[in-house]
Amino acid sequence: MRFRNKTVVVTGGGSGIGEAAVRRFAAEGARVVVADIRPEAMERVLAAIGPQRHLGLVVDMEDMAAIERMIAVTLTRFRRLDVLVNNAGMGSFGRVTEIDMDHWRQVQRVDVESVFWASRLAIPHLEKVGGSIVNVASASGMAADYGFAAYNAAKAAVLNLTRAMAIDHAPAIRVNAVSPGLTATPLATGLTGNAEMMAAYEPVLAMGRPADPGEVAAAIVFLASADASYVNGHNLVVDGGMTAHTGQPNFTRLLGENSHLVEAESAVKR
Ligand SMILES: NC(=O)c1ccc[n+]([C@@H]2O[C@H](COP(=O)([O-])OP(=O)(O)OC[C@H]3O[C@@H](n4cnc5c(N)ncnc54)[C@H](O)[C@@H]3O)[C@@H](O)[C@H]2O)c1
């Protein structure tokens, strides 16, 4: 019950990683604000955790006025704000030469600008109670993917914005990020639900599977909790080892299965 009497706002709380975080915060005693652009997703999660104790809001994180309302209504209802989880996000496919300015701007609005604006509005209230922010970035913010240019840029910005806010607003609040790798959520079903795609992932998924959303939520809740009271400006990578890999071939497998390569390696050693 690390969040008894604390108020937590989770953006994109109606699905996937956000939903898993909502459920964990609620189970640990928090009063949770489930903010999502999709009313039916928000209502489903709110019904699961209890609409009397918690609050659901339909919020489009592209809409600055809606974000202002989210913070204002939270304070009116619960009188305090302890944790902001900037989780809402969208994916994007395309190289720079294939996406247009409207798409680029939408990705930056949803994935980065919403983090800036919600944080800007929340920080004065978080400072009153020694609260914290957790931003959901991505392994795709730490290096580049083929064909994910706008998303790579946005998530990298989230990571450095996390660090900037962490040093600017310490010691009054803490600001950290979680960087998931492939996680089995509706956002990623185009990847996790596609056999050819999963076969292509096989060499880089050291754990042999995507993350469960609850495994990412556990890291979010840890960073928001008093257990992380001296953790600030950190990027907690929850990718099963994906970014621990240089990208080089699997030598164990290759050298074990191909005797000519083993011989070549022995020749080098000799
Ligand atoms: N699933 C992955 O493999 C993965 C990997 C790395 C990072 N992430 C990040 O995790 C976060 C959560 O993604 P997820 O995989 O749980 O996806 P998801 O689609 O399951 O959930 C995202 C939720 O955000 C909501 N949302 C989308 N746009 C919104 C907007 N403009 N305003 C308010 N709500 C909005 C959606 O309605 C949805 O309920 C995102 O920031 C995503 O970039 C996901």
Side-chain angles (χ1 to χ4, degrees):
M1 298 298 278
R2 289 177 291 183
F3 296 91
R4 195 192 297 275
N5 299 324
K6 295 193 188 297
T7 301
V8 178
V9 172
V10 181
T11 71
S15 171
I17 293 167
E19 174 180 353
V22 164
R23 288 174 182 268
R24 280 180 182 247
F25 279 118
E28 290 214 37
R31 288 161 302 191
V32 185
V33 179
V34 185
D36 204 286
I37 194 171
R38 292 179 300 133
E40 72 290 352
M42 178 274 283
E43 291 288 355
R44 185 181 57 79
V45 175
L46 187 64
I49 58 171
Q52 286 79 31
R53 183 172 164 75
H54 306 281
L55 178 66
L57 296 174
V58 177
V59 181
D60 178 359
M61 296 303 292
E62 281 190 68
D63 179 349
M64 291 172 69
I67 298 173
E68 286 169 32
R69 278 196 298 278
M70 173 181 82
I71 300 296
V73 171
T74 298
L75 289 161
T76 304
R77 170 77 186 267
F78 297 121
R79 302 273 155 215
R80 59 186 288 151
L81 176 57
D82 298 89
V83 178
L84 170 65
V85 180
N86 286 311
N87 164 76
M90 65 179 286
S92 163
F93 180 68
R95 300 181 295 175
V96 161
T97 47
E98 292 153 358
I99 57 179
D100 60 20
M101 191 56 112
D102 284 348
H103 177 77
W104 168 269
R105 286 189 175 141
Q106 188 188 15
V107 175
Q108 307 314 311
R109 275 199 303 274
V110 176
D111 287 350
V112 190
E113 292 181 18
S114 68
V115 175
F116 157 70
W117 190 241
S119 300
R120 188 182 196 282
L121 297 167
I123 284 170
H125 305 286
L126 295 170
E127 284 178 342
K128 289 182 194 152
V129 295
S132 84
I133 296 174
V134 182
N135 296 323
V136 180
S138 173
S140 299
M142 299 162 59
D145 304 295
Y146 290 97
F148 277 5
Y151 188 71
N152 287 145
K155 291 299 187 178
V158 170
L159 283 175
N160 226 22
L161 178 60
T162 299
R163 298 182 188 106
M165 294 195 293
I167 59 173
D168 280 341
H169 301 286
I173 66 167
R174 296 178 301 107
V175 185
N176 291 290
V178 167
S179 281
L182 183 66
T183 307
T185 70
L187 181 82
T189 42
L191 305 177
T192 56
N194 178 320
E196 194 186 346
M197 194 66 83
M198 287 314 291
Y201 256 107
E202 198 271 327
V204 297
L205 287 186
M207 299 288 283
R209 61 173 178 85
D212 178 85
E215 293 175 305
V216 180
I220 295 171
V221 172
F222 162 70
L223 288 173
S225 78
D227 288 339
S229 55
Y230 204 66
V231 182
N232 189 33
H234 185 64
N235 174 29
L236 181 43
V237 181
V238 187
D239 70 351
M242 187 174 72
T243 54
H245 178 208
T246 58
Q248 296 209 69
N250 185 333
F251 296 125
T252 307
R253 185 174 302 165
L254 287 171
L255 295 174
E257 289 172 2
N258 296 283
S259 56
H260 64 285
L261 286 176
V262 175
E263 281 161 19
E265 192 206 32
S266 323
V268 169
K269 279 187 186 146
R270 277 199 300 275

